[in-house]
């Protein structure tokens, strides 16, 4: 006699104990969406000015530790603190995750998951891909929660709900947001079935960290000694603008105002 089986149920049963290959029907879609996610990871600006890197090793290690010990990590930090850059560094090749799902608010701003799938030329909607994902060591990233509004937020929550429905077996969730958006993000996660999370309070780099990273830029180092400018220059978006616009010389002259 003939028979049938439910592929997603079989995958869900075997996933905790076995490392499986993706079913061929889903493999091509995963490759497409992983390529888009990789572009998003690599698109996060990781340098200041032309080629200045802040190590932020302690921050990367702290988030890595939280992700290793918790299924859901919410990173709350002010705009310009560098939280997205630290997350992207964690997800670089050779990191702890084998599969990254990172879509922007703009990419998720569609009326349905079917439209999202069409935009990326996928044969299946992404929640179905999650439901049938066979890999362990996967991560879903929602970067800049406050930017996800309307349809984008609804689509993102559907992905979170799909991962939650899998009981986070093989999956982690990393969300970044500004401090004032944390409660809203928490409420949305609860709506999507997430009841436990680890919050990481993320700070801007210290003036000393920035000073040490710029040994060949005396103009910026001079500005960092001015206490009234330190809160401004510790914002990495502003600092990047100052360096790329090459206005440090003017700002370092006390006779000229900001």
């Amino acid at each position: 006699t003939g028979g049938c089986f439910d592929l997603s149920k079989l995958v869900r049963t075997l996933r905790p104990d076995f490392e499986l290959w993706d079913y061929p029907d889903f493999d091509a879609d995963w490759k497409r969406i992983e390529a888009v996610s990789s572009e998003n990871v690599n698109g996060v600006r990781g340098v200041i000015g032309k080629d200045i890197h802040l190590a932020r090793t302690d921050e990367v290690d702290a988030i890595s530790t939280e992700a290793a010990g918790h299924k859901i990590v919410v990173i709350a930090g002010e705009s310009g603190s560098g939280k997205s850059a630290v997350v992207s560094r964690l997800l670089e090749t050779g990191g702890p995750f084998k599969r990254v799902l990172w879509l922007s608010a703009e990419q998720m701003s569609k009326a349905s998951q079917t439209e999202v799938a069409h935009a990326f030329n996928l044969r299946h909607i992404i929640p179905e891909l999650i439901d049938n994902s066979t890999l362990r060591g996967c991560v879903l990233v929602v970067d800049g929660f406050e930017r996800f509004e309307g349809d984008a937020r609804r689509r993102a929550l559907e992905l979170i709900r799909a991962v939650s429905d899998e009981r986070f077996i093989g999956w982690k969730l990393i969300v970044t947001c500004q401090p004032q958006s944390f409660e809203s993000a928490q409420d949305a996660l609860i709506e999507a079935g997430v009841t436990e999370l680890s919050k990481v309070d993320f700070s801007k780099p210290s003036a000393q960290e920035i000073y040490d990273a710029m040994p060949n830029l005396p103009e910026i180092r001079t500005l960092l000694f001015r206490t009234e400018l330190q809160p401004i220059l510790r914002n990495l978006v502003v600092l990047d603008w100052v360096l790329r616009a090459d206005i440090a010389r003017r700002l370092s002259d006390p006779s000229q105002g900001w």
Side-chain angles (χ1 to χ4, degrees):
T1 59
C4 63
F5 65 90
D6 186 315
L7 177 61
S8 62
K9 288 184 179 179
L10 179 62
V11 168
R12 191 175 298 118
T13 300
L14 296 177
R15 188 191 294 129
D17 300 311
F18 297 94
E19 186 73 74
L20 306 172
W21 291 97
D22 282 318
Y23 193 67
D25 278 3
F26 304 107
D27 185 58
D29 280 356
W30 271 123
K31 287 180 178 177
R32 290 190 185 96
I33 208 67
E34 285 174 356
V36 174
S37 297
S38 179
E39 289 179 2
N40 289 336
V41 171
N42 295 328
V44 176
R45 187 164 172 79
V47 298
I48 306 167
K50 292 182 179 179
D51 57 1
I52 297 169
H53 293 264
L54 293 179
R56 316 280 331 244
T57 304
D58 290 344
E59 289 83 354
V60 173
D61 290 345
I63 293 173
S64 179
T65 298
E66 289 299 314
H70 301 85
K71 298 182 184 300
I72 305 98
V73 178
V74 179
I75 305 166
E78 294 180 21
S79 176
S81 61
K83 53 188 181 295
S84 298
V86 168
V87 172
S88 70
R89 191 176 304 176
L90 177 66
L91 303 183
E92 289 173 351
T93 303
F97 300 107
K98 298 178 182 178
R99 169 169 288 158
V100 175
L101 178 52
W102 179 330
L103 299 178
S104 69
E106 292 76 15
Q107 291 166 333
M108 294 293 287
S109 185
K110 307 292 182 184
S112 68
Q113 290 292 343
T114 300
E115 287 195 18
V116 175
H118 286 165
F120 295 116
N121 196 27
L122 305 177
R123 294 177 60 192
H124 307 85
I125 62 173
I126 299 177
E128 185 179 359
L129 295 179
I130 293 173
D131 189 35
N132 290 278
S133 176
T134 58
L135 283 183
R136 288 176 289 178
C138 305
V139 61
L140 168 62
V141 178
V142 179
D143 182 44
F145 175 83
E146 56 279 342
R147 294 196 296 269
F148 286 77
E149 300 179 332
D151 284 339
R153 180 169 297 189
R154 284 187 282 272
R155 301 294 82 77
L157 291 179
E158 287 166 356
L159 299 189
I160 294 171
R161 190 174 294 109
V163 173
S164 177
D165 287 345
E166 299 303 312
R167 304 189 304 278
F168 288 92
I169 296 174
W171 284 89
K172 303 283 187 178
L173 169 64
I174 297 177
V175 178
T176 71
C177 67
Q178 295 185 28
Q180 63 269 28
S181 300
F182 173 75
E183 287 189 8
S184 176
Q186 187 177 34
D187 289 343
L189 290 174
I190 292 173
E191 178 186 337
V194 174
T195 56
E196 296 182 6
L197 59 84
S198 174
K199 181 187 179 187
V200 176
D201 292 314
F202 194 90
S203 300
K204 297 175 183 176
S206 67
Q208 187 65 51
E209 286 180 86
I210 298 171
Y211 182 91
D212 292 342
M214 303 181 179
N216 300 317
L217 293 173
E219 295 87 0
I220 288 292
R221 285 184 150 205
T222 298
L223 293 177
L224 287 168
F225 282 117
R226 294 169 60 176
T227 55
E228 76 276 13
L229 291 181
Q230 285 183 5
I232 299 172
L233 294 176
R234 287 177 59 213
N235 183 308
L236 298 182
V237 174
V238 174
L239 181 61
D240 183 51
W241 169 74
V242 169
L243 289 169
R244 296 171 75 184
D246 197 26
I247 61 173
R249 287 185 177 83
R250 180 172 63 85
L251 291 176
S252 62
D253 185 350
S255 68
Q256 300 187 49
W258 175 263

